């Protein structure tokens, strides 16, 4: 974005020096460059090569007209629009002028845009028109764009359907769905391929809407079920029941995405199965080297506290991701054993340590604060973060001790967190009034000006 703004500003300078339009523009396909050009010329001291009115130019060049179309004076912009016919290179600036604040300029620009727009120009200028469309009075350019492109075929729309800008892809796919330009199989592939969640959902829903009840259309289902993104996979899994293939949903009960697992459980239940029993059987096979983390999460999502012992056994599973999910599952089931969770703070996997820490935060005061303070000096960053998170939850004087201990920590994020904690600290009811340690810690932190330090000490019951 910054490079586009710079390119637009440089193009304005080149045009003002008399450069040819094609040579002055760095990337004519980038809408941000045209918008930056318009802004740069508008805010420059002079907006044409000689600063004269457009009628003084007998045969204005494209460069002169480009500057005039961006001129700060609306009369110059309006007159420039009268000379743009037959100059397709200037159409991007005509589109920008369609949202001009001056009504005469706006009306003339809209007339010129309506005269010049074709399917080809609409496709080429769609990214710019959509950018202008978010402006006040920018709806005309987009409305005309929409009207023209509804008559286009799939091949003409292809550049927009695969455009790098997600706003353009959303617009093109929505239009394609409404006009039935893409087949259900094409829509399923788009849902599976596109990285934007809006396009994924739009295309997946449209593809499945075209599948009749009981119709197992592999061209639609298979791309969705094999998609990398969870939204498309979940849509495909949900469609299995409608297609009469509910038994296949069992294979997605252990999916890595929670939304897919939830859809699979729904389909399995609708087909007469019981997902929780499936999860219990799989998790009970502790020696199964193929046990996935999704299966463990699934048990926590639909199980109950009776499943806690199975999850505890999995906290020693060889796969660190499975161990982390098992701890997360215990937290989800609200199963707390401070002694066993404390032991997991020394797990070599950072993910397990994070999950164990989160589970212990509500019970931080049940831990030995001295032991936690010692861990602030550990070599492992994860151990220091875990200890500080728990000490921070302790509150009171313990929190201040921990934060001051890390104000010079070598890790940038942890150091900043500690300093913020010190700055936001205030004495609470459990802090002994007049505690000399509070004054020493505040002085040692070195983060306060004289007034703030005096006020904090006064709040803590210390004499100035």
């Amino acid at each position: 974005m910054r490079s586009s703004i710079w390119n637009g500003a440089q193009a304005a300078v080149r045009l003002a020096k008399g450069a040819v339009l094609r040579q002055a523009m760095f990337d004519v396909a980038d809408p941000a460059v045209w918008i930056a050009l318009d802004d740069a010329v508008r805010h420059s001291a002079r907006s044409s090569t000689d600063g004269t009115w457009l009628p003084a130019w007998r045969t204005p060049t494209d460069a002169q007209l480009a500057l005039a179309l961006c001129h700060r004076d609306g009369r110059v912009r309006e007159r420039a629009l009268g000379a743009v016919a037959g100059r397709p290179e200037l159409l991007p600036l005509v589109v920008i002028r369609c949202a001009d604040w001056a009504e005469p300029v706006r009306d003339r620009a809209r007339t010129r845009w309506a005269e010049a727009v074709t399917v080809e120009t609409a496709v080429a200028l769609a990214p710019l028109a959509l950018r202008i469309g978010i402006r006040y009075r920018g709806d005309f350019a987009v409305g005309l764009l929409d009207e023209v492109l509804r008559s286009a075929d799939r091949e003409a729309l292809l550049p927009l359907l695969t455009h790098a800008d997600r706003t353009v892809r959303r617009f093109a796919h929505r239009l394609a769905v409404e006009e039935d330009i893409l087949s259900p199989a094409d829509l399923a592939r788009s849902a599976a391929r596109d990285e934007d969640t809006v396009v994924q959902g739009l295309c997946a829903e449209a593809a499945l809407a075209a599948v009749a009840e009981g119709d197992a259309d592999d061209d639609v289902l298979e791309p969705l079920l094999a998609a990398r993104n969870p939204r498309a996979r979940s849509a495909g899994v949900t469609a299995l029941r409608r297609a009469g293939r509910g038994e296949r949903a069992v294979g997605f009960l252990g999916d890595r995405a929670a939304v897919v697992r939830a859809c699979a459980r729904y389909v399995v239940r609708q087909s007469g199965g019981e997902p929780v029993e499936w999860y219990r059987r799989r998790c009970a096979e502790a020696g199964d080297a193929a046990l996935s983390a999704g299966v463990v999460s699934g048990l926590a999502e639909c199980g109950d506290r009776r499943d806690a012992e199975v999850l505890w056994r999995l906290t020693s599973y060889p796969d660190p991701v499975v161990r982390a999910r098992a701890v997360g599952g215990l937290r989800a089931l609200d199963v707390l054993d401070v002694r066993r969770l404390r032991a997991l703070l020394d797990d070599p996997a950072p993910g397990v340590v994070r999950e164990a820490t989160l589970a212990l935060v509500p019970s931080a005061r049940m831990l030995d604060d001295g032991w936690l303070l010692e861990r602030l000096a550990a070599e492992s960053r994860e151990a220091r973060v875990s200890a500080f998170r728990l000490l921070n939850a302790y509150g009171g004087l313990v929190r201040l001790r921990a934060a001051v201990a890390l104000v010079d920590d070598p890790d940038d994020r942890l150091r900043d967190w500690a300093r913020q904690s010190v700055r936001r600290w205030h004495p609470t009811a459990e802090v002994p009034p007049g505690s000399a340690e509070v004054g020493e810690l505040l002085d040692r932190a070195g983060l306060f000006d004289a007034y703030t330090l005096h006020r904090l000490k006064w709040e803590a019951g210390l004499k100035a």
Side-chain angles (χ1 to χ4, degrees):
M1 183 63 181
R2 290 182 178 179
S3 63
S4 299
I5 295 173
W6 185 87
N7 289 342
Q10 290 300 306
V13 173
R14 292 186 177 193
L15 289 171
K17 291 181 178 179
V20 177
L21 181 62
R22 289 182 177 274
Q23 296 176 346
M25 297 301 292
F26 290 84
D27 185 1
V28 295
D30 186 356
V33 172
W34 290 102
I35 293 172
L37 168 65
D38 178 52
D39 186 68
V41 175
R42 185 75 60 87
H43 291 89
S44 63
R46 305 179 76 86
S47 297
S48 64
T49 53
D50 55 7
T52 59
W53 293 97
L54 181 62
W57 298 332
R58 294 183 179 180
T59 309
T61 64
D62 285 351
Q64 290 172 326
L65 280 176
L67 291 170
L69 286 167
C70 304
H71 200 283
R72 65 179 63 183
D73 191 319
R75 292 168 294 180
V76 176
R77 298 197 302 276
E78 183 184 1
R79 293 176 184 179
L81 285 165
V84 298
R87 303 194 191 215
E89 294 84 0
L90 296 173
L91 275 179
L93 293 174
V94 174
V95 172
I96 293 176
R97 295 280 71 81
C98 285
D100 199 281
W101 68 271
E103 185 176 357
V105 178
R106 189 168 64 247
D107 290 344
R108 179 167 282 194
R110 291 176 175 183
T111 300
R112 293 290 173 266
W113 175 228
E115 292 171 349
V117 68
T118 62
V119 170
E120 291 74 18
T121 56
V123 169
L125 295 178
L128 176 61
L130 291 170
R131 288 281 294 272
I132 298 302
I134 64 175
R135 294 182 177 181
Y136 181 53
R137 305 187 185 93
D139 56 338
F140 179 86
V142 177
L144 190 57
L145 179 78
D146 181 89
E147 181 181 335
V148 171
L149 290 180
R150 286 185 183 277
S151 63
D153 56 20
R154 179 184 180 279
E155 295 304 316
L157 282 179
L158 191 58
L160 302 183
L161 294 169
T162 56
H163 200 276
D165 189 333
R166 65 181 182 182
T167 302
V168 176
R169 297 200 308 278
R170 289 176 182 179
F171 172 83
H173 280 96
R174 189 172 289 110
L175 187 148
V177 168
E178 292 174 359
E179 296 298 316
D180 291 327
I181 294 174
L182 298 177
S183 68
D186 288 332
L187 290 168
R189 285 191 289 269
S190 292
R193 180 181 60 243
D194 204 285
E195 297 178 355
D196 181 60
T197 56
V198 173
V199 174
Q200 293 166 10
L202 177 70
C203 292
E205 290 176 9
L208 295 177
V211 178
E213 187 76 29
D215 182 10
D217 191 337
D218 289 341
D219 290 339
V220 174
L221 286 177
E222 295 306 325
L224 294 175
L225 294 173
R228 294 184 61 185
N229 69 77
R231 186 176 292 265
R233 284 203 313 280
S234 63
V237 170
T238 304
L240 287 172
R241 183 186 68 84
R242 184 179 179 186
R245 294 186 177 185
E247 70 282 355
R248 284 194 62 185
V250 175
F252 293 89
L253 288 173
D255 194 274
R256 61 183 180 273
V259 65
V260 179
R261 294 194 298 270
C263 291
R265 289 195 292 271
Y266 165 76
V267 176
V268 170
R269 290 191 186 104
Q270 292 296 309
S271 302
E274 187 50 62
V276 68
E277 297 301 329
W278 183 89
Y279 286 125
R280 284 168 177 162
R281 286 196 303 272
R282 294 297 306 275
C283 289
E285 300 170 1
D288 184 4
L291 183 64
S292 71
V295 174
V296 180
S297 294
L299 177 60
E301 289 162 353
C302 67
D304 53 43
R305 302 187 74 175
R306 291 175 297 175
D307 301 305
E309 199 52 46
V310 173
L311 293 174
W312 278 119
R313 287 201 300 271
L314 292 176
T315 59
S316 59
Y317 196 79
D319 186 344
V321 181
V322 170
R323 295 201 303 275
R325 295 289 184 89
V327 179
L330 290 166
R331 181 163 60 92
L333 294 176
D334 195 24
V335 175
L336 178 66
D337 186 324
V338 174
R339 180 185 60 81
R340 297 172 82 174
L341 285 171
R342 170 179 158 161
L344 294 173
L345 293 178
D346 292 319
D347 193 282
V352 178
V353 176
R354 284 194 294 270
E355 288 290 347
T357 303
L358 288 173
L360 284 168
V361 163
S363 306
R365 286 178 174 268
M366 297 178 66
L367 297 169
D368 179 13
D369 60 302
W371 176 75
L372 288 174
L373 284 167
E374 291 177 0
R375 292 174 66 84
L376 294 177
E379 293 184 5
S380 166
R381 177 188 184 277
E382 201 59 49
R384 297 202 308 279
V385 170
S386 168
F388 183 61
R389 186 183 294 276
L390 293 168
L391 289 165
N392 211 39
Y394 236 94
L397 187 54
V398 172
R399 171 185 164 185
L400 183 60
R401 289 172 186 156
V404 172
L406 295 177
V407 290
D408 293 318
D409 193 87
D411 183 84
D412 293 342
R413 295 182 63 183
L414 185 53
R415 182 175 64 249
D416 291 343
W417 184 13
R419 292 183 176 187
Q420 286 182 13
S421 182
V422 173
R423 292 188 181 101
R424 294 173 181 174
W425 184 86
H426 290 276
T428 52
E430 65 267 25
V431 177
S435 171
E437 184 182 4
V438 171
E440 293 172 1
L441 290 170
L442 293 174
D443 287 333
R444 194 198 315 167
L447 300 176
F448 303 105
D449 56 43
Y451 170 78
T452 306
L453 183 62
H454 174 80
R455 180 173 54 80
L456 279 173
K457 286 183 176 180
W458 177 82
E459 288 181 16
L462 295 168
K463 294 182 179 181

